[in-house]
Amino acid sequence: MTFYKCIRTGVDNPDSGLGCYAMTPTDYSKFGGFFDKVIRDYHGDESGSKKHETDWDTDDADYDVKKLGQDELSMRVRVGRNLLGFNLPGKMSKEERIKFELRMLPAFEQLVEKYGGKVHSLTPDFGDSGANPNLISDEEYKSLVDAHVMFKDMDADPYLKSAGISSDWPYGRGCWQSEDKMRIIWFGEEDQLRIMCMKKGSNLLEVFSNL
């Protein structure tokens, strides 16, 4: 049953580009024979011997897109992260989604102190923990979506719905954006956290370094 939950979105949606999601961190080892093949196929590893290496060293490379004949662009660099101690989004309950948001609030407070801005939350209430001081209106949400600051209604996505990722919408969903609008963190989307830096310009390295 657990493995079926991992592949359900692909079964329900044959046109899905990937069609599977791990439900818990241990699924990658428990169903490693399956996920390893999927990941290698996605990254074009026909040899089956490639290993992931994390390397943030940019050396002296020139990342100015004007050198490629491009004008100024809207540039965005992002990473996805999930926290230990929580199920992955497809298996999180409503209570766990609320708990995750509450866990992140102290971190967001530190970011607000350093970079300004505010948390924009869609969670109607925190249950036993009381009211949500960061709750925004439907109009504010639409405005953030139109500005590409917030993600769209996940409950309207059939792929995410089948995977369980959009369950309990809109609880546990929202974002923090800095005062200068260059830094954004989504919470409660396909990854528990999507950390982004964005800016209109031509030097990609400047955006990457801010991340």
Side-chain angles (χ1 to χ4, degrees):
M1 186 64 178
T2 303
F3 180 66
Y4 173 70
K5 289 181 179 179
C6 292
I7 63 171
R8 180 181 172 182
T9 187
V11 174
D12 292 348
N13 305 283
D15 61 334
S16 174
L18 198 58
C20 59
Y21 289 92
M23 296 288 113
T24 70
T26 58
D27 286 347
Y28 286 110
S29 54
K30 185 177 182 180
F31 307 118
F34 170 77
F35 278 112
D36 186 65
K37 290 180 180 179
V38 170
I39 293 169
R40 291 188 183 280
D41 181 68
Y42 181 81
H43 289 285
D45 180 17
E46 296 180 0
S47 68
S49 61
K50 289 183 179 179
K51 292 184 178 181
H52 174 73
E53 294 183 8
T54 299
D55 183 1
W56 293 78
D57 186 4
T58 58
D59 294 320
D60 296 322
D62 192 338
Y63 291 85
D64 193 331
V65 298
K66 287 184 178 179
K67 301 293 179 62
L68 301 175
Q70 298 281 346
D71 293 324
E72 286 193 342
L73 302 173
S74 177
M75 301 179 293
R76 180 179 299 208
V77 179
R78 74 182 188 185
V79 295
R81 291 293 183 266
N82 296 292
L83 297 190
L84 287 173
F86 290 89
N87 288 311
L88 296 178
K91 195 179 179 182
M92 293 177 79
S93 64
K94 175 182 171 181
E95 291 72 24
E96 192 174 16
R97 297 183 195 281
I98 292 173
K99 181 181 178 181
F100 180 86
E101 182 173 346
L102 289 170
R103 173 75 65 85
M104 289 303 303
L105 290 182
F108 289 140
E109 288 174 3
Q110 292 185 43
L111 288 171
V112 169
E113 287 181 10
K114 186 171 184 179
Y115 299 110
K118 62 180 294 188
V119 175
H120 307 278
S121 176
L122 304 181
T123 300
D125 61 81
F126 287 145
D128 293 340
S129 296
N132 180 1
N134 301 310
L135 178 62
I136 60 174
S137 66
D138 291 342
E139 291 74 20
E140 289 174 301
Y141 171 60
K142 184 179 184 304
S143 177
L144 290 170
V145 170
D146 291 343
H148 305 291
V149 173
M150 185 82 86
F151 45 90
K152 296 180 180 179
D153 182 350
M154 297 168 64
D155 204 36
D157 188 314
Y159 305 97
L160 299 181
K161 186 181 285 289
S162 291
I165 293 173
S166 66
S167 297
D168 311 304
W169 176 268
Y171 283 89
R173 274 73 175 208
C175 75
W176 163 78
Q177 184 181 33
S178 63
E179 187 69 31
D180 62 11
K181 303 187 184 304
M182 284 182 59
R183 300 168 178 85
I184 300 172
I185 298 179
W186 288 353
F187 57 89
E189 211 237 11
E190 282 188 79
D191 294 299
Q192 290 170 356
L193 296 172
R194 286 204 173 172
I195 306 165
M196 297 168 273
C197 286
M198 51 191 264
K199 182 181 181 180
K200 186 173 181 179
S202 65
N203 189 353
L204 184 59
L205 184 57
E206 181 182 356
V207 184
F208 180 84
S209 299
N210 278 331
L211 186 67

